[in-house]
Short mmCIF file of all heavy atoms in Angstrom, two decimals:
data_model
loop_
_atom_site.label_atom_id
_atom_site.label_comp_id
_atom_site.label_asym_id
_atom_site.label_seq_id
_atom_site.Cartn_x
_atom_site.Cartn_y
_atom_site.Cartn_z
N GLY A 170 -51.44 -15.42 -46.58
CA GLY A 170 -50.49 -15.23 -45.49
C GLY A 170 -49.84 -13.89 -45.61
O GLY A 170 -49.80 -13.23 -46.65
N ALA A 171 -48.97 -13.64 -44.66
CA ALA A 171 -48.36 -12.25 -44.59
C ALA A 171 -47.29 -12.20 -45.73
O ALA A 171 -47.05 -11.09 -46.29
CB ALA A 171 -47.68 -11.99 -43.20
N ALA A 172 -46.46 -13.22 -45.93
CA ALA A 172 -45.44 -13.19 -46.94
C ALA A 172 -45.92 -12.90 -48.24
O ALA A 172 -45.47 -11.97 -48.99
CB ALA A 172 -44.77 -14.63 -47.00
N ALA A 173 -46.97 -13.48 -48.61
CA ALA A 173 -47.62 -13.07 -49.99
C ALA A 173 -48.16 -11.62 -50.09
O ALA A 173 -47.99 -10.98 -50.98
CB ALA A 173 -48.81 -14.06 -50.37
N GLY A 174 -48.71 -11.14 -48.91
CA GLY A 174 -49.21 -9.86 -48.80
C GLY A 174 -48.14 -8.86 -48.91
O GLY A 174 -48.25 -7.80 -49.58
N LEU A 175 -46.99 -9.17 -48.24
CA LEU A 175 -45.81 -8.21 -48.22
C LEU A 175 -45.19 -8.13 -49.69
O LEU A 175 -44.70 -7.05 -50.11
CB LEU A 175 -44.76 -8.77 -47.24
CG LEU A 175 -45.15 -8.46 -45.78
CD1 LEU A 175 -44.28 -9.38 -44.88
CD2 LEU A 175 -44.92 -7.02 -45.44
N GLN A 176 -45.20 -9.24 -50.37
CA GLN A 176 -44.67 -9.23 -51.71
C GLN A 176 -45.53 -8.36 -52.66
O GLN A 176 -45.04 -7.61 -53.51
CB GLN A 176 -44.58 -10.65 -52.38
CG GLN A 176 -43.43 -11.50 -51.84
CD GLN A 176 -42.09 -10.94 -51.95
OE1 GLN A 176 -41.80 -10.35 -53.00
NE2 GLN A 176 -41.31 -11.06 -50.97
N GLU A 177 -46.87 -8.44 -52.39
CA GLU A 177 -47.78 -7.57 -53.13
C GLU A 177 -47.60 -6.16 -52.76
O GLU A 177 -47.77 -5.15 -53.63
CB GLU A 177 -49.17 -8.05 -52.84
CG GLU A 177 -50.29 -7.44 -53.68
CD GLU A 177 -50.18 -7.84 -55.19
OE1 GLU A 177 -49.53 -8.77 -55.53
OE2 GLU A 177 -50.94 -7.24 -56.01
N LEU A 178 -47.15 -5.88 -51.57
CA LEU A 178 -46.91 -4.58 -51.08
C LEU A 178 -45.61 -3.97 -51.82
O LEU A 178 -45.84 -2.88 -52.32
CB LEU A 178 -46.67 -4.46 -49.51
CG LEU A 178 -46.25 -3.21 -48.94
CD1 LEU A 178 -47.34 -2.14 -49.01
CD2 LEU A 178 -45.83 -3.39 -47.47
N VAL A 179 -44.70 -4.75 -51.79
CA VAL A 179 -43.43 -4.23 -52.48
C VAL A 179 -43.68 -4.03 -53.95
O VAL A 179 -43.17 -3.11 -54.61
CB VAL A 179 -42.34 -5.31 -52.29
CG1 VAL A 179 -41.09 -5.01 -53.21
CG2 VAL A 179 -41.99 -5.43 -50.78
N ALA A 180 -44.52 -4.95 -54.54
CA ALA A 180 -44.87 -4.80 -56.01
C ALA A 180 -45.80 -3.63 -56.20
O ALA A 180 -46.00 -3.32 -57.50
CB ALA A 180 -45.46 -6.08 -56.56
N GLY A 181 -46.27 -3.00 -55.34
CA GLY A 181 -47.19 -1.92 -55.50
C GLY A 181 -48.72 -2.29 -55.74
O GLY A 181 -49.58 -1.37 -55.94
N GLY A 182 -49.07 -3.52 -55.42
CA GLY A 182 -50.48 -3.94 -55.47
C GLY A 182 -51.29 -3.46 -54.40
O GLY A 182 -52.48 -3.35 -54.61
N VAL A 183 -50.79 -3.36 -53.15
CA VAL A 183 -51.48 -2.89 -52.12
C VAL A 183 -50.73 -1.76 -51.35
O VAL A 183 -49.53 -1.56 -51.76
CB VAL A 183 -51.84 -3.96 -51.16
CG1 VAL A 183 -52.81 -5.06 -51.75
CG2 VAL A 183 -50.44 -4.66 -50.57
N ASP A 184 -51.32 -1.06 -50.52
CA ASP A 184 -50.60 0.08 -49.94
C ASP A 184 -50.20 -0.17 -48.44
O ASP A 184 -49.26 0.62 -48.03
CB ASP A 184 -51.52 1.29 -49.85
CG ASP A 184 -52.06 1.54 -51.33
OD1 ASP A 184 -51.30 2.15 -52.17
OD2 ASP A 184 -53.23 1.35 -51.57
N VAL A 185 -50.76 -0.97 -47.80
CA VAL A 185 -50.46 -1.30 -46.42
C VAL A 185 -50.58 -2.80 -46.14
O VAL A 185 -51.49 -3.43 -46.75
CB VAL A 185 -51.27 -0.51 -45.51
CG1 VAL A 185 -52.76 -0.86 -45.56
CG2 VAL A 185 -50.82 -0.67 -43.99
N VAL A 186 -49.74 -3.38 -45.27
CA VAL A 186 -49.84 -4.75 -44.77
C VAL A 186 -49.89 -4.83 -43.26
O VAL A 186 -48.96 -4.23 -42.65
CB VAL A 186 -48.72 -5.66 -45.34
CG1 VAL A 186 -48.67 -6.93 -44.53
CG2 VAL A 186 -48.97 -5.95 -46.74
N THR A 187 -50.87 -5.42 -42.66
CA THR A 187 -50.89 -5.54 -41.28
C THR A 187 -50.44 -6.97 -41.05
O THR A 187 -51.08 -7.95 -41.48
CB THR A 187 -52.29 -5.25 -40.69
OG1 THR A 187 -53.30 -5.72 -41.38
CG2 THR A 187 -52.46 -3.86 -40.37
N SER A 188 -49.45 -7.19 -40.27
CA SER A 188 -48.92 -8.44 -39.86
C SER A 188 -47.90 -8.32 -38.73
O SER A 188 -47.74 -7.12 -38.34
CB SER A 188 -48.11 -9.19 -40.97
OG SER A 188 -47.03 -8.42 -41.33
N SER A 189 -47.45 -9.32 -38.24
CA SER A 189 -46.46 -9.08 -37.19
C SER A 189 -45.23 -8.49 -37.73
O SER A 189 -44.91 -8.76 -39.00
CB SER A 189 -46.07 -10.52 -36.49
OG SER A 189 -45.43 -11.32 -37.42
N VAL A 190 -44.54 -7.61 -36.95
CA VAL A 190 -43.42 -6.98 -37.50
C VAL A 190 -42.29 -8.03 -37.91
O VAL A 190 -41.49 -7.79 -38.84
CB VAL A 190 -42.73 -5.94 -36.58
CG1 VAL A 190 -41.59 -5.21 -37.09
CG2 VAL A 190 -43.86 -4.92 -36.13
N VAL A 191 -42.27 -9.09 -37.15
CA VAL A 191 -41.22 -10.11 -37.39
C VAL A 191 -41.42 -10.70 -38.83
O VAL A 191 -40.44 -10.92 -39.51
CB VAL A 191 -41.36 -11.24 -36.31
CG1 VAL A 191 -40.54 -12.46 -36.65
CG2 VAL A 191 -40.96 -10.75 -34.88
N GLU A 192 -42.59 -10.83 -39.17
CA GLU A 192 -42.92 -11.45 -40.56
C GLU A 192 -42.30 -10.53 -41.68
O GLU A 192 -42.08 -11.01 -42.84
CB GLU A 192 -44.44 -11.70 -40.71
CG GLU A 192 -44.92 -12.75 -39.92
CD GLU A 192 -46.42 -12.94 -39.98
OE1 GLU A 192 -47.16 -11.98 -39.62
OE2 GLU A 192 -46.92 -14.09 -40.45
N SER A 193 -42.13 -9.26 -41.40
CA SER A 193 -41.69 -8.25 -42.33
C SER A 193 -40.18 -8.01 -42.21
O SER A 193 -39.67 -7.08 -42.92
CB SER A 193 -42.51 -7.05 -42.33
OG SER A 193 -42.55 -6.47 -41.10
N ALA A 194 -39.60 -8.60 -41.15
CA ALA A 194 -38.27 -8.27 -40.79
C ALA A 194 -37.31 -8.35 -41.98
O ALA A 194 -36.42 -7.24 -42.18
CB ALA A 194 -37.68 -9.13 -39.71
N ALA A 195 -37.32 -9.34 -42.72
CA ALA A 195 -36.49 -9.44 -43.89
C ALA A 195 -36.43 -8.32 -44.85
O ALA A 195 -35.46 -7.87 -45.35
CB ALA A 195 -36.63 -10.81 -44.68
N LEU A 196 -37.67 -7.97 -45.18
CA LEU A 196 -37.96 -6.87 -46.18
C LEU A 196 -37.60 -5.51 -45.45
O LEU A 196 -37.19 -4.58 -46.19
CB LEU A 196 -39.37 -6.81 -46.60
CG LEU A 196 -39.74 -8.01 -47.61
CD1 LEU A 196 -41.18 -8.01 -47.79
CD2 LEU A 196 -38.92 -7.90 -48.85
N ILE A 197 -37.77 -5.36 -44.19
CA ILE A 197 -37.38 -4.13 -43.44
C ILE A 197 -35.91 -4.04 -43.49
O ILE A 197 -35.25 -2.96 -43.89
CB ILE A 197 -37.87 -4.20 -41.96
CG1 ILE A 197 -39.44 -4.03 -41.93
CG2 ILE A 197 -37.25 -3.08 -41.22
CD1 ILE A 197 -39.93 -4.08 -40.57
N ASN A 198 -35.20 -5.22 -43.25
CA ASN A 198 -33.68 -5.04 -43.30
C ASN A 198 -33.17 -4.89 -44.69
O ASN A 198 -32.07 -4.28 -44.90
CB ASN A 198 -33.17 -6.38 -42.62
CG ASN A 198 -33.47 -6.55 -41.22
OD1 ASN A 198 -33.64 -5.55 -40.44
ND2 ASN A 198 -33.59 -7.77 -40.74
N ALA A 199 -33.95 -5.30 -45.65
CA ALA A 199 -33.52 -5.08 -47.05
C ALA A 199 -33.84 -3.64 -47.57
O ALA A 199 -33.47 -3.36 -48.74
CB ALA A 199 -34.20 -6.14 -48.04
N GLY A 200 -34.49 -2.81 -46.81
CA GLY A 200 -34.84 -1.46 -47.18
C GLY A 200 -35.99 -1.44 -48.13
O GLY A 200 -36.06 -0.30 -48.68
N LYS A 201 -36.77 -2.45 -48.13
CA LYS A 201 -38.00 -2.40 -49.00
C LYS A 201 -39.27 -2.04 -48.29
O LYS A 201 -40.21 -1.56 -48.92
CB LYS A 201 -38.10 -3.68 -49.73
CG LYS A 201 -36.92 -3.97 -50.71
CD LYS A 201 -37.15 -5.32 -51.44
CE LYS A 201 -35.98 -5.64 -52.30
NZ LYS A 201 -36.19 -6.84 -53.05
N VAL A 202 -39.30 -2.14 -46.99
CA VAL A 202 -40.52 -1.91 -46.24
C VAL A 202 -40.09 -1.27 -45.00
O VAL A 202 -39.10 -1.46 -44.51
CB VAL A 202 -41.15 -3.38 -45.86
CG1 VAL A 202 -42.24 -3.25 -44.87
CG2 VAL A 202 -41.78 -4.02 -47.18
N LYS A 203 -41.09 -0.44 -44.38
CA LYS A 203 -40.92 0.06 -43.10
C LYS A 203 -42.15 -0.09 -42.31
O LYS A 203 -43.28 -0.14 -42.86
CB LYS A 203 -40.57 1.68 -43.29
CG LYS A 203 -41.60 2.43 -43.90
CD LYS A 203 -41.19 3.87 -44.06
CE LYS A 203 -42.25 4.76 -44.87
NZ LYS A 203 -41.80 6.11 -45.09
N SER A 204 -41.98 -0.19 -40.92
CA SER A 204 -43.06 -0.43 -40.10
C SER A 204 -43.42 0.96 -39.31
O SER A 204 -42.49 1.60 -38.74
CB SER A 204 -42.78 -1.48 -39.07
OG SER A 204 -43.89 -1.77 -38.28
N LEU A 205 -44.71 1.32 -39.33
CA LEU A 205 -45.08 2.61 -38.73
C LEU A 205 -45.52 2.47 -37.27
O LEU A 205 -45.27 3.47 -36.61
CB LEU A 205 -46.30 3.26 -39.65
CG LEU A 205 -45.99 3.35 -41.10
CD1 LEU A 205 -47.30 4.06 -41.63
CD2 LEU A 205 -44.80 4.32 -41.31
N ALA A 206 -46.00 1.39 -36.93
CA ALA A 206 -46.39 1.20 -35.47
C ALA A 206 -46.73 -0.25 -35.22
O ALA A 206 -46.88 -1.10 -36.11
CB ALA A 206 -47.64 2.08 -35.18
N VAL A 207 -46.76 -0.57 -33.93
CA VAL A 207 -47.19 -1.95 -33.51
C VAL A 207 -48.33 -1.82 -32.65
O VAL A 207 -48.43 -1.06 -31.81
CB VAL A 207 -46.00 -2.63 -32.93
CG1 VAL A 207 -45.51 -1.89 -31.57
CG2 VAL A 207 -46.36 -4.15 -32.41
N MET A 208 -49.31 -2.80 -32.80
CA MET A 208 -50.58 -2.69 -32.08
C MET A 208 -50.52 -3.50 -30.72
O MET A 208 -51.26 -4.39 -30.47
CB MET A 208 -51.76 -3.24 -32.93
CG MET A 208 -51.92 -2.46 -34.23
SD MET A 208 -53.38 -3.12 -35.21
CE MET A 208 -52.94 -2.47 -36.73
N GLY A 209 -49.60 -3.11 -29.91
CA GLY A 209 -49.33 -3.90 -28.72
C GLY A 209 -49.16 -2.86 -27.58
O GLY A 209 -49.19 -1.65 -27.70
N ASP A 210 -48.97 -3.37 -26.35
CA ASP A 210 -48.77 -2.53 -25.17
C ASP A 210 -47.39 -1.89 -25.08
O ASP A 210 -47.18 -0.89 -24.50
CB ASP A 210 -48.89 -3.42 -23.83
CG ASP A 210 -50.29 -3.91 -23.67
OD1 ASP A 210 -51.21 -3.09 -23.78
OD2 ASP A 210 -50.52 -5.09 -23.34
N GLU A 211 -46.43 -2.49 -25.76
CA GLU A 211 -45.05 -1.91 -25.60
C GLU A 211 -44.24 -2.20 -26.97
O GLU A 211 -44.75 -3.09 -27.78
CB GLU A 211 -44.26 -2.55 -24.50
CG GLU A 211 -44.25 -4.08 -24.45
CD GLU A 211 -43.65 -4.70 -23.24
OE1 GLU A 211 -43.86 -4.11 -22.09
OE2 GLU A 211 -42.97 -5.71 -23.23
N ARG A 212 -43.22 -1.46 -27.14
CA ARG A 212 -42.41 -1.65 -28.31
C ARG A 212 -41.67 -3.00 -28.32
O ARG A 212 -41.54 -3.70 -27.28
CB ARG A 212 -41.36 -0.52 -28.43
CG ARG A 212 -41.93 0.78 -28.48
CD ARG A 212 -40.88 1.85 -28.79
NE ARG A 212 -41.38 3.15 -28.96
CZ ARG A 212 -40.72 4.26 -29.53
NH1 ARG A 212 -39.49 4.04 -30.00
NH2 ARG A 212 -41.27 5.37 -29.54
N LEU A 213 -41.33 -3.50 -29.41
CA LEU A 213 -40.70 -4.85 -29.53
C LEU A 213 -39.15 -4.71 -29.36
O LEU A 213 -38.54 -3.66 -29.87
CB LEU A 213 -40.91 -5.53 -30.94
CG LEU A 213 -42.41 -5.59 -31.28
CD1 LEU A 213 -42.60 -6.09 -32.75
CD2 LEU A 213 -43.14 -6.58 -30.36
N GLY A 214 -38.63 -5.54 -28.62
CA GLY A 214 -37.10 -5.54 -28.31
C GLY A 214 -36.23 -5.39 -29.63
O GLY A 214 -35.27 -4.70 -29.60
#
């Protein structure tokens, strides 16, 4: 799942995680992760 992948991202085991931005919201808000783009028709509210 995305949670495990994101933890691996923060730990340096991988370089990118593709998941919904919502799944990474906690780490984005904590300043550990940033989102570069979303694969949809429009930006997320």
